[in-house]
Amino acid sequence: MSSATAGGAGSAPPAAPRHKSVTGTRKTVAALFLLPALVLLGALVVYPIGYSVVRSFSNQSGDGFAGIDNYKALFTDNGIRTALKNNIIWVVFAPTVATALGLVFAVLTERVRWGTAFKLVVFMPMAISMLAAGIIFRLVYDQDPDKGVANAVWVGVHDTFAESSAFPKAHPGRQSPLEAQGGGFLTKNPVHAGRSVTLPLVGVAPDQMPGSAKKAVQAKAEPGKVTGTAWQDFTRGKGVGKLGQVDASELGYAGMKVEAVKGGKVVDSAKVRDDGTFTLSAKADGAQLRLPAGNFKEPYNGLDWLGPSLVTPAIIGSYIWMWAGFAMVLIAAGLAGVPRELLEAARVDGANEWQVFRRVTVPLLAPVLAVVTVTLMINVLKVFDLVFIIAPGSSQDDANVLALELYRKGFAEDQPGIASAIAVFLLLLVIPVMLFNVRRLRREVRR
């Protein structure tokens, strides 16, 4: 018994158990499983970042040290300065508007029976690639109202309040009694009551005449009044019809305005009837007749959406169309976790719906709104596809952003040093925003 005790006292202590991870897997095995991912991460992320940093301090050929010259170009090169200014516009407006629309959609769709269908429609653009969305909006913003949806709507609204002229190409023909004056036309001689006047014009194709236009007729003279005819003095076919006379197949300028002018003042006016005839009172006796410039103004073709002044807001609009659905889905998920008793308590206390939304719903959703906004800010700092595809060559300099300028410097202009400096600068802009997002998410997890 004593020898056993002595032997036990002199024996070595039992070996300590090998360390295992939380899941019970040995750290060595875990490291082996993680190794392929770490290799890929190093090859595709760490190495390119390190190489870009080194390359940003090299000259354009890569065989010499350039110091901070490439970084100085970020603030002296006109193209990069324009890109930086546009990036600021993007960061300020695109995430804010997309988040605001997502909030409105999330709150409103919660109250309607077809809310799920509406969310599906709004979220659907997220399934479209940036390339496809760029092509779609390049067509949407086409200058021609017959092709571009934006200008078709804009021109339709404009023409509702300010009707365009039906005769933009009309002008006097040979041996005409009219002469040009200030964009319109004026009779060379005064007119007199009791006589019929002819105001022949040419230049409008028959298929472009107003639908209400009828075959022109020669106006009959009326005592104490000035009568006349304004018509398209042209008949198809060689030798058909007589110049300055109303022929059977010729149409009247329906709706055209005629003014009687004395001493530079309009004393009377009339609109041409569908058959081309018009009648003025005795006030027109001794006056000259004028067809004002408003009869011949070019039709309104809408806005130049992809011109230098509007191209950036137009592209931001296409981005919001794509990402408002993303914001809506995340905010709707946050809204589902808002305690309904708080909203009901506010209504019981007498708050209206706007007050409930502003003082209860929005503050409770503040963490979600912050995450969505910051995520979109990171996204817009890297925007490239939409600007590259939507902006035409004539406006691409005005729509330029940092990611597009990086591409142009690196590939089109063969300046890899400056391109690397832009890439590092973009990384430095993204890191603080990304850290803010990560910290907020960790804070939410701890709660």
Side-chain angles (χ1 to χ4, degrees):
M1 190 75 174
S2 60
S3 62
T5 304
S11 61
R18 299 182 68 180
H19 294 289
K20 293 185 177 182
S21 66
V22 177
T23 59
T25 307
R26 292 188 179 88
K27 289 186 177 181
T28 306
V29 177
L32 289 174
F33 274 104
L34 289 174
L35 185 61
L38 293 174
V39 171
L40 286 174
L41 187 66
L44 300 179
V45 179
V46 178
Y47 173 74
I49 291 175
Y51 182 81
S52 296
V53 172
V54 173
R55 192 67 180 84
S56 68
F57 290 103
S58 305
N59 57 21
Q60 301 312 317
S61 61
D63 56 5
F65 183 68
I68 60 171
D69 290 347
N70 292 327
Y71 289 94
K72 287 181 180 177
L74 298 181
F75 305 98
T76 56
D77 184 278
N78 289 332
I80 300 177
R81 288 168 65 181
T82 301
L84 184 58
K85 180 194 72 175
N86 286 336
N87 262 101
I88 293 172
I89 295 172
W90 271 88
V91 169
V92 171
F93 290 101
T96 305
V97 177
T99 304
L101 281 177
L103 174 61
V104 172
F105 290 155
V107 172
L108 292 181
T109 53
E110 199 182 40
R111 295 172 168 270
V112 294
R113 296 175 62 183
W114 39 269
T116 303
F118 181 83
K119 288 178 182 177
L120 179 63
V121 171
V122 175
F123 187 76
M124 197 175 293
M126 281 292 298
I128 302 174
S129 69
M130 286 282 196
L131 173 66
I135 294 171
I136 290 170
F137 275 89
R138 183 68 181 267
L139 296 174
V140 167
Y141 292 132
D142 195 286
Q143 179 68 38
D144 187 351
D146 293 331
K147 297 178 182 178
V149 175
N151 264 341
V153 174
W154 190 265
V155 170
V157 173
H158 173 274
D159 290 351
T160 301
F161 301 98
E163 188 176 353
S164 297
S165 169
F167 319 106
K169 304 296 183 184
H171 61 275
R174 293 179 291 117
Q175 303 175 17
S176 174
L178 295 164
E179 59 184 0
Q181 187 205 52
F185 303 102
L186 187 72
T187 55
K188 298 174 183 177
N189 302 309
V191 298
H192 299 283
R195 298 181 185 178
S196 178
V197 183
T198 55
L199 302 178
L201 294 168
V202 294
V204 181
D207 59 348
Q208 294 180 352
M209 292 290 285
S212 61
K214 297 179 180 178
K215 290 183 178 180
V217 298
Q218 182 69 48
K220 296 181 180 179
E222 297 183 23
K225 295 181 180 180
V226 174
T227 59
T229 304
W231 84 102
Q232 173 77 356
D233 188 21
F234 177 79
T235 303
R236 291 182 183 274
K238 188 175 180 181
V240 179
K242 295 182 179 180
L243 189 66
Q245 294 184 17
V246 179
D247 297 309
S249 62
E250 294 170 349
L251 300 174
Y253 280 116
M256 182 174 281
K257 188 176 183 180
V258 181
E259 297 175 341
V261 181
K262 280 185 183 180
K265 294 183 178 181
V266 178
V267 295
D268 197 11
S269 65
K271 275 201 171 184
V272 175
R273 303 182 188 95
D274 292 347
D275 60 3
T277 60
F278 61 89
T279 304
L280 296 166
S281 67
K283 296 177 183 178
D285 185 42
Q288 290 176 283
L289 299 188
R290 180 173 67 187
L291 301 176
N295 291 318
F296 312 103
K297 65 181 180 181
E298 292 290 335
Y300 181 68
N301 281 324
L303 298 175
D304 187 7
W305 294 101
L306 300 181
S309 58
L310 289 177
V311 63
T312 295
I315 299 173
I316 290 176
S318 66
Y319 177 89
I320 292 170
W321 175 78
M322 288 191 69
W323 287 88
F326 167 82
M328 177 195 67
V329 169
L330 292 188
I331 295 170
L335 191 62
V338 172
R340 291 296 180 261
E341 53 269 18
L342 294 178
L343 304 180
E344 293 302 325
R347 293 187 182 101
V348 170
D349 289 341
N352 56 37
E353 290 303 319
W354 169 246
Q355 290 172 326
V356 171
F357 173 76
R358 186 167 61 92
R359 295 176 179 268
V360 181
T361 305
V362 172
L364 290 174
L365 288 175
V368 178
L369 296 177
V371 170
V372 172
T373 304
V374 172
T375 302
L376 293 179
M377 286 174 65
I378 296 172
N379 189 268
V380 299
L381 282 171
K382 304 177 293 181
V383 69
F384 166 80
D385 316 62
L386 290 177
V387 181
F388 183 71
I389 296 166
I390 296 177
S394 58
S395 300
Q396 201 164 87
D397 288 341
D398 300 282
N400 202 7
V401 290
L402 287 174
L404 177 59
E405 186 63 15
L406 187 157
Y407 168 81
R408 294 169 71 175
K409 293 293 185 189
F411 298 97
E413 300 177 22
D414 194 22
Q415 299 184 50
I418 296 178
S420 298
I422 296 173
V424 174
F425 182 64
L426 268 175
L427 178 65
L428 293 176
L429 290 177
V430 169
I431 286 175
V433 183
M434 187 173 60
L435 290 176
F436 174 82
N437 216 13
V438 170
R439 286 180 180 177
R440 180 170 285 278
L441 287 171
R442 284 180 176 173
R443 224 177 284 135
E444 290 301 313
V445 170
R446 289 193 192 112
R447 290 180 185 178

